[in-house]
Amino acid sequence: MLTSTDFRGLVNRRFFNNLLPFPASNRIQVGSLVPPFELPEAGSDRTLRLSDYTHQAPADAAHRLTLLYFTRIFTEKQYCPLCFPHIVAVNQMAEAWARQGVALLMITSTDPQQSQQVQQDLGLTIPLLSDPACRVFRAYHVGQALGAPLPAQFLIDRQGRLLFRHLFSFLEPNASIERLQQAIALRLDKPD
């Protein structure tokens, strides 16, 4: 699926920094603490920190889990054809997951202006965090290929520990909505 025939802005420094393929790795093990980060939120002046959702989150926070959703978008006009339908599906699930106690953070490698355009075009209701230097993508070892980091999903508890991860593969580029829901349900059934 080609999302646009407008390829302006596709070839840039980020594209060349992510051109060579590096596979995702399992360096962050289930049960271990995930790397902290802070990134700007598209369409606002806020900077969100992972600690806003984990260690420093108030005990009465509305969420018990955080789903980090790393997505592959080349520019505000060019989406990964494997990720685009998944982004739409995840956005549709965001409200239901929030009611279950799951905070959802989507992370993209587009710059803040591109990210804001993506957020508007897709009507995203979830925070879209901009990581054009790909530092957080690299800290989470999601891999890269052909000009952009690879997609991945990480489910994290209130202590900042990894509960579930899905790394890109050609058989399953993104964890299916059903698989994400199963991982969430399994963790919500356990006490904090």
Side-chain angles (χ1 to χ4, degrees):
M1 168 178 68
L2 185 64
T3 54
S4 173
T5 57
D6 184 350
F7 294 101
R8 288 177 291 172
L10 179 63
V11 180
N12 56 27
R13 170 173 273 163
R14 180 175 44 96
F15 179 86
F16 287 111
N17 287 344
N18 290 284
L19 183 61
L20 295 177
F22 291 108
S25 72
N26 292 324
R27 289 189 186 169
I28 303 173
Q29 298 297 314
V30 170
S32 64
L33 292 174
V34 298
F37 65 82
E38 67 178 66
L39 291 170
E41 180 183 13
S44 81
D45 294 331
R46 295 189 317 166
T47 297
L48 296 182
R49 294 168 191 76
L50 180 59
S51 61
D52 295 338
Y53 297 85
T54 57
H55 304 325
Q56 297 173 8
D60 63 346
H63 66 277
R64 289 180 48 204
L65 303 173
T66 301
L67 178 60
L68 299 181
Y69 183 86
F70 290 86
T71 191
R72 185 172 164 89
I73 301 173
F74 297 99
T75 72
E76 73 279 18
K77 300 171 199 85
Q78 296 295 328
Y79 297 83
C80 166
L82 302 173
C83 295
F84 179 76
H86 202 258
I87 294 168
V88 172
V90 164
N91 189 50
Q92 291 171 345
M93 288 298 301
E95 188 176 321
W97 284 338
R99 285 192 304 269
Q100 292 177 352
V102 180
L104 179 58
L105 300 174
M106 188 174 288
I107 303 170
T108 179
S109 64
T110 52
D111 68 37
Q113 294 79 21
Q114 291 172 322
S115 298
Q116 184 173 358
Q117 190 63 50
V118 166
Q119 186 178 44
Q120 291 171 353
D121 289 350
L122 297 181
L124 295 179
T125 60
I126 55 179
L128 180 62
L129 308 180
S130 179
D131 183 21
C134 302
R135 287 186 193 103
V136 178
F137 282 91
R138 287 188 180 90
Y140 280 74
H141 307 281
V142 301
Q144 67 182 42
L146 304 175
L150 297 172
Q153 294 82 45
F154 296 83
L155 187 63
I156 301 163
D157 69 12
R158 291 284 299 274
Q159 290 73 43
R161 296 193 184 284
L162 180 63
L163 301 172
F164 167 87
R165 75 162 174 258
H166 175 83
L167 301 172
F168 173 87
S169 75
F170 285 110
L171 296 175
E172 192 176 17
N174 291 286
S176 69
I177 297 299
E178 295 78 20
R179 189 163 170 229
L180 289 171
Q181 183 58 43
Q182 287 172 349
I184 289 166
L186 179 66
R187 300 316 188 252
L188 288 175
D189 287 343
K190 294 182 180 181
D192 283 334

